[in-house]
Amino acid sequence: MRIYCHILFFVLASLCQGALDFNRDVRPILSDKCFACHGPDEEGRKADLRLDIESEAKNDELMAIVAGSPEDSEMVYRIHSGEEDELMPPPEIGKPLTKKEKQILEQWIKEGAKWADHWAYVPPVDHPTPEVKDKQWSTHWIDPFALADIEKRNFRPAKEADPVTLVRRLHFDLTGLPPAPEVVQSFASDPSEKAYSRIIEDLLGSPHFGERLATYWLDLVRYADTVGYHGDQPHNISPYRDWVIQAFNNNIPFDQFTREQLAGDLLPGSTTQQKVASGYNRLLQTTHEGGLQLKEYDAIYAADRVRNVSEVWMGATVGCAQCHDHKYDPYTIKDHYALASFFSDLGDRGFNGNSLPTKRPPEIQIFSPEQQARIDSLTQEITMALPREIVLGINALDHNRTQFTSQLKKAKNNKKAPWKKKLAELETKYLELTDQASIDRYRELVGKKKKVENQGIWTMVSRAVKPRTMRVLPRGNWMDDSGPVVLPSVPKFLGSIQSDKERLSRLDLANWLTDTENGIGLINARVLANRLWYLFFGKGLAPDLTDFGGQGTPPEHPELLDRLALSLIEKKWNLKVFIKDILLSRTYRQATLPPAGYQSYQIARRLPAEFVRDNTLAISGLLVPTIGGPSVKPMQPAGYYRHLNFPPRKYQTDKGKSLWRRGLYVHWQRQFLHPMLKAFDAPSREECSAERPQSNTPLAALVLLNDPTFLEAAKFFAKKIVSSGGSSIKERLTYAFRQALSRPPDAFEQKTLAALFDSQVPSTEEDWTPVARAVLNLAETNLRR
């Protein structure tokens, strides 16, 4: 046979490797090296060979894969061929198979070429709890799954993190803020199970819990304060961010959380806050350029929405089917445009202009609870001040007076008399209605009400209009109208939405996404569970948080991921209960040890950009912990916006308490993200970001040393050390370390920091500022372990 020269290598290789798993070992190779030419995309398929479907891959006529017979399989011959025109993958593609990959494909065929449906498109299974050797270590249902994998590698699990590390971990994970020294001391002295559980409950009940989860959610949905394209003008959307915070704090079940964002305006009896939630549909990048082509941007916006909704809720890259059938997954180009059709009822076309903020109707005005209470009170007072018919008369006369006054101003001197006369006649008519004093209490109340109303914040919302016709755009070309018209529907291979309605709506889509019986709720629960695991461990059980498709990395622990997904459903999408369950496991409490995943699932990592800022402000005592409100503009380098045009603008730094708000509230300028956030790897939020990179560059250190916010924080921290840290150098250094690191300094640290003093007897804020800067710049200060 043609491949006998490879038999010896194959036999030896198969002896030293166990049975293969198709999804874990084989599918990633086929997807990466073969599916581009032999996958779902019909137009791009070569040789009529499809390797993503078992029946076609094992076609008897083509004999590409002959189960149990690698020597008869065309695939095995082609991957080893010495002829350039026969070798697969073709050399010009630039994706050659490695020796190990060839070995895996041969072994798989030898073992019978066992197939399995793609793991992400199969509902999670309630796998049995694995048997483990160390029965004492497992105290929680999650633990046997983790321990079984550790034992399989002949390791012992890492010990539990010390109490100080645990309490810091919990605070950073659940609030993004450091623990108070007294909380650390209390738990260190009593690290009991009851005390641990109480800390979790306290933190889940903290208003800062919503801020912590919102920070991640805003990355997913690409929330920003500016439009992104062209002039990148600001737009009105901050109440949506505040709604997200309150939704997490109020523990809205994730299925309702989904409905309110995708279709809050379509819910029966839609409330103001549900309309605010529907602002999700308006978060995409838009242009306000005068010469825009409406049809072009209709296509751009539709594709943007498909990319985001599929990545956020489905862990799928349906956006890759914009121009052709997906190269690696079963999504067709028709699926793409049918999904886009759900959003064709959004009336947000063609607004242009250089106003700041830009106008993007529909928008509604939002008031704080205090403002709304004041408006309601004043409305009641106005109603009681005068009878309704008199109020109507005054309003009519006020309208006339505004017009007459305007005409008087425009008239030339010799033409003013008639308008003066008319105004005088109006005053008489006012007094015919009621007395002057009553007219004055009424106007005063109206003025007060208008003053409060002017303090409201505008925000973009969704409002359904007559849906635009949606067509398949061949090759994604917005000028090509030859494609068929499509109505809203979900990807065909994932089922359908059963409805008697003539046209499905965004609400139908939202329900389908979380419906565990007639939709893909079970599948999507796996996506959410994986991302929550990532937040609390540093790595998802499936490493690729955005792509659960063919190009994504399969889960290293599929059984545990399935059980987590089912647990989330059993808890009726209750995120706080689900999160607490994870945090109570011994797996969560492990110390961080390299290599991650062998002895410990926990990974040490730097805090996200916003939390680096928050941590510094909290340690120094400068942090203003107010929840919600308009975005804030802290200090940033002069001239940073010099290239922003349409219109040109200058950055106006806020004053007062706004300077010390949490990073979550910092103005998010897509084209010119605040330099501090950028240095610490925050995304521009042009697209969905499920996982931020972690760079380690001098820029980050320079920000901590020189950014004006961090300089002010160091000065304030120094003042705090001097006023509250005791009288001796040792006492003050210990105080500084306990505030920043939750521990005392060791002898080396004390000696090193003491060398920073210019004075022999450091006693002033100025003396201690260098030390404060050094402590705030320690890697450990901003490390979540």
Side-chain angles (χ1 to χ4, degrees):
M1 290 291 181
R2 292 180 291 188
I3 61 163
Y4 282 147
C5 57
H6 304 295
I7 293 286
L8 181 60
F9 168 78
F10 172 75
V11 171
L12 292 174
S14 62
L15 287 174
C16 61
Q17 181 169 336
L20 296 170
D21 178 88
F22 179 75
N23 272 322
R24 183 192 64 213
D25 302 308
V26 180
R27 184 185 290 276
I29 300 173
L30 296 178
S31 179
D32 187 41
K33 305 295 175 68
C34 308
F35 283 2
C37 298
H38 303 293
D41 182 13
E42 186 174 358
E43 289 188 11
R45 196 175 303 139
K46 308 294 185 183
D48 290 327
L49 174 62
R50 186 168 183 177
L51 294 176
D52 63 314
I53 295 179
E54 181 178 15
S55 58
E56 297 198 26
K58 297 179 180 178
N59 184 293
D60 290 339
E61 294 182 6
L62 296 176
M63 295 184 67
I65 297 173
V66 180
S69 299
E71 62 273 16
D72 294 322
S73 299
E74 184 73 13
M75 171 187 280
V76 177
Y77 168 71
R78 288 299 191 99
I79 65 177
H80 289 293
S81 176
E83 300 294 328
E84 192 170 300
D85 59 346
E86 291 186 336
L87 181 64
M88 290 291 160
E92 62 267 20
I93 290 178
K95 285 192 170 186
L97 289 167
T98 65
K99 287 184 178 180
K100 183 178 180 181
E101 288 171 334
K102 293 177 182 179
Q103 170 198 329
I104 288 173
L105 291 176
E106 289 188 34
Q107 182 180 344
W108 170 63
I109 293 174
K110 177 73 174 179
E111 291 175 357
K114 294 178 183 177
W115 208 274
D117 291 331
H118 185 59
W119 63 273
Y121 305 137
V122 178
V125 176
D126 189 9
H127 299 279
T129 302
E131 288 293 323
V132 294
K133 299 174 185 175
D134 188 349
K135 308 291 186 183
Q136 301 301 314
W137 191 82
S138 302
T139 60
H140 186 279
W141 72 264
I142 288 176
D143 296 334
F145 287 92
L147 181 59
D149 185 70
I150 295 171
E151 289 181 342
K152 183 175 69 176
R153 301 174 189 273
N154 294 318
F155 283 108
R156 290 285 304 149
K159 63 180 182 180
E160 187 167 296
D162 63 87
V164 172
T165 297
L166 270 181
V167 76
R168 285 177 65 84
R169 179 185 294 175
L170 285 173
H171 278 75
F172 285 133
D173 282 356
L174 294 179
T175 68
L177 294 169
E182 55 270 22
V183 174
V184 177
Q185 181 59 39
S186 174
F187 184 67
S189 61
D190 175 28
S192 64
E193 194 70 23
K194 184 177 180 181
Y196 180 77
S197 182
R198 185 169 59 246
I199 289 177
I200 295 174
E201 284 292 336
D202 289 345
L203 295 174
L204 289 173
S206 165
H208 301 303
F209 168 76
E211 292 178 315
R212 192 274 168 269
L213 281 194
T215 300
Y216 183 63
W217 184 258
L218 298 182
D219 275 1
L220 292 173
V221 298
R222 70 292 193 228
Y223 169 92
D225 291 297
T226 60
V227 303
Y229 292 135
H230 196 52
D232 200 24
Q233 303 96 333
H235 57 197
N236 298 315
I237 196 60
S238 63
Y240 168 81
R241 177 201 58 216
D242 296 347
W243 175 86
V244 172
I245 295 169
Q246 292 306 324
F248 284 127
N249 279 336
N250 295 335
N251 204 23
I252 294 178
F254 188 76
D255 53 349
Q256 182 66 12
F257 183 72
T258 297
R259 278 189 287 272
E260 294 191 13
Q261 291 180 85
L262 289 172
D265 58 312
L266 302 181
L267 291 171
S270 176
T271 66
T272 298
Q273 284 301 307
Q274 287 171 337
K275 290 181 175 65
V276 170
S278 75
Y280 159 75
N281 295 313
R282 312 294 307 283
L283 293 174
L284 75 169
Q285 292 190 96
T286 57
T287 185
H288 297 263
E289 178 186 1
L292 67 88
Q293 295 286 334
L294 277 179
K295 286 182 63 177
E296 178 185 15
Y297 277 90
D298 282 346
I300 289 172
Y301 297 166
D304 191 320
R305 288 181 169 120
V306 169
R307 287 197 302 274
N308 195 259
V309 78
S310 64
E311 289 178 10
V312 172
W313 275 277
M314 301 164 63
T317 55
V318 186
C320 293
Q322 179 183 355
C323 304
H324 48 70
D325 291 346
H326 203 294
K327 291 285 186 183
Y328 307 101
D329 298 318
Y331 300 106
T332 66
I333 189 171
K334 184 178 179 181
D335 290 336
H336 174 97
Y337 288 97
L339 197 57
S341 188
F342 279 105
F343 302 94
S344 64
D345 68 336
L346 294 170
D348 60 350
R349 300 180 82 201
F351 303 115
N352 54 58
N354 292 337
S355 61
L356 299 175
T358 191
K359 301 293 188 293
R360 288 190 60 196
E363 298 183 16
I364 60 174
Q365 200 172 19
I366 301 300
F367 303 99
S368 69
E370 297 77 15
Q371 290 169 339
Q372 190 62 57
R374 182 62 175 148
I375 290 171
D376 294 342
S377 175
L378 288 168
T379 301
Q380 187 174 11
E381 288 187 57
I382 291 170
T383 302
M384 296 174 62
L386 289 172
R388 185 171 180 273
E389 60 272 16
I390 294 179
V391 169
L392 291 175
I394 292 174
N395 289 342
L397 293 174
D398 283 347
H399 177 73
N400 289 337
R401 184 165 66 172
T402 300
Q403 288 187 321
F404 296 165
T405 302
S406 175
Q407 293 296 333
L408 178 64
K409 290 179 179 178
K410 293 178 182 178
K412 296 181 179 179
N413 290 336
N414 60 343
K415 300 289 186 179
K416 290 185 180 292
W419 298 110
K420 289 181 179 179
K421 183 180 178 182
K422 288 188 177 187
L423 285 169
E425 290 172 353
L426 278 182
E427 296 303 321
T428 303
K429 291 182 179 180
Y430 275 117
L431 295 177
E432 289 175 0
L433 291 172
T434 187
D435 61 277
Q436 187 63 49
S438 298
I439 293 173
D440 294 339
R441 191 165 57 124
Y442 169 75
R443 285 180 175 158
E444 182 183 3
L445 291 171
V446 169
K448 288 181 178 179
K449 183 182 177 184
K450 287 183 177 178
K451 185 176 181 180
V452 178
E453 288 175 336
N454 288 336
Q455 297 170 5
I457 303 174
W458 289 91
T459 191
M460 297 179 290
V461 297
S462 297
R463 186 175 298 153
V465 298
K466 182 180 178 180
R468 296 186 298 278
T469 300
M470 183 66 65
R471 293 179 178 274
V472 172
L473 300 180
R475 295 184 175 272
N477 183 357
W478 63 272
M479 293 187 288
D480 188 343
D481 287 334
S482 66
V485 173
V486 290
L487 292 175
S489 64
V490 297
K492 189 175 181 180
F493 82 97
L494 289 175
S496 62
I497 299 176
Q498 301 300 315
S499 174
D500 296 329
K501 294 189 297 186
E502 183 178 339
R503 182 185 179 92
L504 297 174
S505 70
R506 285 178 278 118
L507 184 56
D508 295 310
L509 174 63
N511 288 331
W512 177 79
L513 287 170
T514 54
D515 188 334
T516 57
E517 296 181 1
N518 302 308
I520 56 170
L522 284 169
I523 293 174
N524 291 343
R526 188 190 280 126
V527 176
L528 178 59
N530 189 56
R531 287 173 178 163
L532 290 172
W533 184 274
Y534 155 74
L535 288 183
F536 301 118
F537 289 87
K539 181 182 179 182
L541 292 169
D544 195 322
L545 303 182
T546 300
D547 188 0
F548 270 26
Q551 289 297 92
T553 307
E556 298 171 358
H557 311 283
E559 297 83 8
L560 175 54
L561 183 53
D562 275 7
R563 283 286 295 268
L564 285 167
L566 292 175
S567 174
L568 181 57
I569 298 300
E570 289 165 5
K571 294 174 174 60
K572 302 185 185 302
W573 300 102
N574 186 317
L575 296 188
K576 287 190 177 182
V577 172
F578 179 76
I579 289 170
K580 182 179 180 181
D581 197 24
I582 291 176
L583 303 188
L584 288 175
S585 70
R586 194 162 184 183
T587 306
Y588 173 80
R589 297 185 233 186
Q590 284 186 292
T592 54
L593 285 179
Y598 291 161
Q599 288 179 275
S600 172
Y601 281 63
Q602 282 292 355
I603 298 175
R605 55 199 184 275
R606 191 187 63 210
L607 297 175
E610 297 93 323
F611 300 166
V612 171
R613 171 188 167 90
D614 301 343
N615 191 36
T616 296
L617 293 177
I619 292 167
S620 70
L622 271 176
L623 182 68
V624 175
T626 307
I627 308 293
S631 297
V632 298
K633 294 184 175 180
M635 294 169 277
Q636 72 176 26
Y640 185 57
Y641 278 9
R642 65 187 178 278
H643 296 302
L644 264 180
N645 288 298
F646 311 109
R649 71 208 78 158
K650 284 189 176 182
Y651 185 82
Q652 297 293 328
T653 302
D654 282 339
K655 297 180 180 179
K657 292 183 178 180
S658 294
L659 289 173
W660 319 119
R661 298 287 307 281
R662 292 196 67 172
L664 170 69
Y665 303 108
V666 170
H667 175 78
W668 213 274
Q669 186 84 34
R670 277 179 165 134
Q671 289 185 16
F672 290 88
L673 184 63
H674 191 284
M676 179 268 148
L677 297 175
K678 195 170 185 177
F680 283 93
D681 304 310
S684 64
R685 291 184 178 158
E686 297 170 68
E687 296 285 344
C688 170
S689 300
E691 182 176 6
R692 295 184 182 184
Q694 285 250 328
S695 66
N696 188 11
T697 71
L699 285 177
L702 290 170
V703 166
L704 293 179
L705 283 170
N706 299 311
D707 184 292
T709 296
F710 289 83
L711 282 174
E712 289 300 314
K715 292 176 184 176
F716 207 83
F717 189 29
K719 183 178 180 181
K720 186 177 171 183
I721 293 169
V722 171
S723 62
S724 306
S727 56
S728 69
I729 292 178
K730 183 177 181 179
E731 287 175 330
R732 288 177 175 174
L733 286 176
T734 299
Y735 174 84
F737 264 62
R738 290 200 182 280
Q739 293 289 317
L741 304 172
S742 305
R743 66 170 179 84
D746 60 29
F748 170 80
E749 290 165 334
Q750 291 188 52
K751 181 180 179 181
T752 303
L753 291 174
L756 296 177
F757 294 122
D758 291 329
S759 170
Q760 293 295 319
V761 187
S763 58
T764 67
E765 173 188 329
E766 289 75 17
D767 292 333
W768 280 88
T769 297
V771 172
R773 291 179 77 189
V775 171
L776 293 175
N777 272 266
L778 292 173
E780 185 183 346
T781 301
N782 293 308
L783 186 68
R784 181 272 188 208
R785 295 172 55 215

